[in-house]
Amino acid sequence: MIFSKILITISRIILPFLLMFGIYIILNGDISVGGGFQGGVIIATSYLLYYFIKGQHPFSLSKMLKIDKYLFIFLPVMVLISYFTRGYFFTNWFDLTYAYEIRRLFLVLLNLVIGLKVAIGFVSLFVVFIEEGNS
Amino acid sequence: MIKTFFLVLLLFITLSIVLQKNNKILVVLYSGFSLIAASLYFFNHAPDVALAEIAVGSAFMPLIFLIAISKQTTFTVMQQGHFHMEVKDFLYDFCQIENLKLKIVQSEDVFNDEAKGIYGVFRRQDIDVILNYHPKMQHYILTCKQSNVMTNKLLEMSLKYPSIKVVRTKDIDTMD
Amino acid sequence: MKRFKKIAVALFITLLMIQILLHFDYDETLYNTASQSYYVENGLEETSSKNLVTAIYLDYRLFDSFFEASLLLIVVTGIAFMTIKDEDML
């Protein structure tokens, strides 16, 4: 197959900026517009742009699936810790007496987990769709 | 004021999507529809939904559509063994008339059962035509389904060649 | 005859939508605003996030987001099961 050189060059320049933009939207999810789902979709777009144009994976797919499995165990641990500090499930770990900057840690971590899970889900769905029918 | 203007524009784009027949223009129009819908979400004081709609509706869905369109234009032929160039010339002429791409696969690659086991059921390719050679009567047999729209013209074109025969089979009723 | 029916159905739906848009007024409808006023007043102090949408889906309703995130793993597992063709791909 012939891959056009203009598209390959431009996509190699754009890939790190798209990735950084997606992580920026995830990390500022609780101050401004954004959040986990939106940033995850942007990260998946950056991966698929490179894969669709060049034909090779930019990061390896099996390592991403391993990260997904570890995140699945990490999520209930984070959610259930709050029973020991406050007495309620499914809420923030820290009490109302702490400052805003310390209590933000919980929201940022949860946004990161959700964003990465969404990105990996979308990427695996598309890789199957593109490769179906090729021997 | 701006909201009613965008709503009227949405109506015109929808009408042109319904009446358009070219596949590649449809993808661009769908992307424009998603952009206008995202602006409407923004003017109704919901910026989170607008960001998600732009990322999904303008980046993912046209990609899915483009992949599906490009897979529609390949014509897959499965053969058992290696054959004379006359049949391949005939298939090549057919594909040139209908603007398709020809792809020929061997039958050993498709039905290789030892390496796949149960996964072979999920990974079978979409095959349009099966190519066989009848050694007694010395002609080629092309088998295709009756519901396949791409092979409508194949029967008329094969009347000029005496050694090529086209057979159309009916689908078996499934028990779903 | 068929074309006449299609055009009639399309016109009917268009007129219905125009009537709905003209007679719908957001400022006059009466909603029950109990939860809306609670979220707007106490959202910032209890959750420490300036985005109300984030406060709702990450603190008040974390139960739903938890199951949504675990559903994505099941989807990826099902898709990965269907794609194994030779063992060095996944």
Side-chain angles (χ1 to χ4, degrees):
Chain A
M1 279 191 70
I2 304 177
F3 293 100
S4 87
K5 286 199 173 171
I6 298 179
L7 285 177
I8 289 181
T9 312
I10 291 186
S11 79
R12 280 167 86 175
I13 293 178
I14 283 188
L15 175 75
F17 290 107
L18 261 182
L19 208 56
M20 213 159 57
F21 184 58
I23 295 180
Y24 174 78
I25 286 188
I26 291 182
L27 288 180
N28 287 342
D30 51 342
I31 293 185
S32 154
V33 177
F37 178 72
Q38 282 90 336
V41 169
I42 290 181
I43 288 182
T45 301
S46 85
Y47 186 102
L48 285 170
L49 180 81
Y50 190 83
Y51 179 65
F52 189 53
I53 288 182
K54 192 158 185 196
Q56 301 168 5
H57 295 276
F59 324 116
S60 90
L61 195 58
S62 53
K63 282 188 191 162
M64 288 175 69
L65 291 182
K66 254 192 190 176
I67 292 179
D68 197 16
K69 284 186 233 174
Y70 288 134
L71 281 177
F72 181 67
I73 298 180
F74 188 53
L75 183 66
V77 166
M78 276 187 50
V79 162
L80 298 176
I81 279 183
S82 76
Y83 182 66
F84 302 109
T85 56
R86 272 178 90 175
Y88 292 110
F89 284 115
F90 291 106
T91 181
N92 210 338
W93 313 327
F94 298 108
D95 287 340
L96 289 172
T97 56
Y98 290 82
Y100 280 168
E101 280 82 9
I102 300 182
R103 307 188 71 215
R104 265 190 72 195
L105 186 69
F106 176 72
L107 298 174
V108 168
L109 272 179
L110 266 187
N111 266 334
L112 268 176
V113 167
I114 288 180
L116 281 177
K117 281 184 81 76
V118 167
I120 292 175
F122 270 89
V123 160
S124 74
L125 180 72
F126 264 71
V127 163
V128 169
F129 191 57
I130 290 180
E131 294 209 347
E132 182 195 0
N134 296 337
S135 61
Chain B
M1 206 28 226
I2 293 186
K3 289 183 199 174
T4 50
F5 170 66
F6 273 135
L7 279 173
V8 168
L9 196 56
L10 207 64
L11 182 69
F12 282 133
I13 282 192
T14 313
L15 274 176
S16 64
I17 281 181
V18 167
L19 296 173
Q20 183 64 259
K21 297 201 199 249
N22 194 0
N23 273 340
K24 296 180 183 170
I25 299 181
L26 272 180
V27 172
V28 178
L29 281 177
Y30 180 82
S31 186
F33 176 90
S34 171
L35 181 70
I36 294 182
S39 334
L40 272 177
Y41 288 144
F42 175 71
F43 281 120
N44 279 323
H45 312 296
D48 288 308
V49 186
L51 195 52
E53 167 73 26
I54 282 184
V56 166
S58 298
F60 266 162
M61 301 303 283
L63 189 64
I64 291 186
F65 285 140
L66 275 180
I67 295 173
I69 286 176
S70 73
K71 278 186 196 286
Q72 259 183 0
T73 54
T74 58
F75 187 70
T76 318
V77 174
M78 185 177 90
Q79 64 178 8
Q80 294 167 342
H82 297 271
F83 290 114
H84 202 257
M85 293 304 287
E86 176 192 336
V87 183
K88 289 189 183 163
D89 284 342
F90 165 67
L91 287 170
Y92 192 65
D93 289 338
F94 170 71
C95 289
Q96 274 218 322
I97 289 180
E98 302 247 349
N99 278 333
L100 302 169
K101 287 187 211 162
L102 184 64
K103 184 176 170 187
I104 301 182
V105 283
Q106 301 286 332
S107 75
E108 290 94 18
D109 294 331
V110 177
F111 289 105
N112 194 358
D113 271 340
E114 307 108 74
K116 296 179 202 171
I118 190 175
Y119 306 124
V121 174
F122 289 114
R123 290 301 298 165
R124 184 166 300 169
Q125 298 188 8
D126 295 329
I127 299 171
D128 290 315
V129 168
I130 302 179
L131 183 60
N132 268 327
Y133 184 61
H134 208 250
K136 264 195 195 170
M137 320 246 280
Q138 300 251 333
H139 62 227
Y140 299 95
I141 300 182
L142 296 169
T143 319
C144 51
K145 279 191 192 170
Q146 205 174 13
S147 57
N148 202 347
V149 181
M150 286 202 272
T151 58
N152 276 341
K153 263 193 153 184
L154 203 61
L155 193 59
E156 304 166 3
M157 281 182 63
S158 73
L159 291 175
K160 301 180 202 161
Y161 295 79
S163 65
I164 295 179
K165 197 174 158 209
V166 173
V167 172
R168 305 190 82 183
T169 62
K170 218 176 154 190
D171 287 339
I172 311 173
D173 288 334
T174 53
M175 306 264 276
D176 286 345
Chain C
M1 190 60 197
K2 259 195 165 178
R3 227 176 155 183
F4 177 70
K5 271 191 192 172
K6 285 184 195 172
I7 294 179
V9 166
L11 265 179
F12 175 68
I13 291 181
T14 310
L15 285 175
L16 203 63
M17 294 303 292
I18 290 178
Q19 286 296 314
I20 290 179
L21 282 178
L22 282 178
H23 290 270
F24 179 75
D25 199 357
Y26 179 69
D27 298 325
E28 283 180 7
T29 49
L30 302 169
Y31 290 112
N32 184 9
T33 58
S35 67
Q36 176 187 3
S37 45
Y38 182 83
Y39 284 144
V40 167
E41 276 187 34
N42 305 334
L44 179 58
E45 308 160 0
E46 295 184 3
T47 60
S48 80
S49 89
K50 297 176 191 159
N51 192 1
L52 267 182
V53 178
T54 299
I56 289 179
Y57 85 87
L58 278 186
D59 202 308
Y60 289 118
R61 302 231 168 202
L62 188 52
F63 198 54
D64 309 332
S65 310
F66 173 66
F67 281 108
E68 177 206 337
S70 62
L71 185 112
L72 280 169
L73 176 86
I74 298 177
V75 166
V76 170
T77 308
I79 289 177
F81 168 69
M82 287 205 219
T83 65
I84 298 179
K85 37 179 181 162
D86 35 358
E87 296 300 320
D88 53 321
M89 156 74 176
L90 276 179

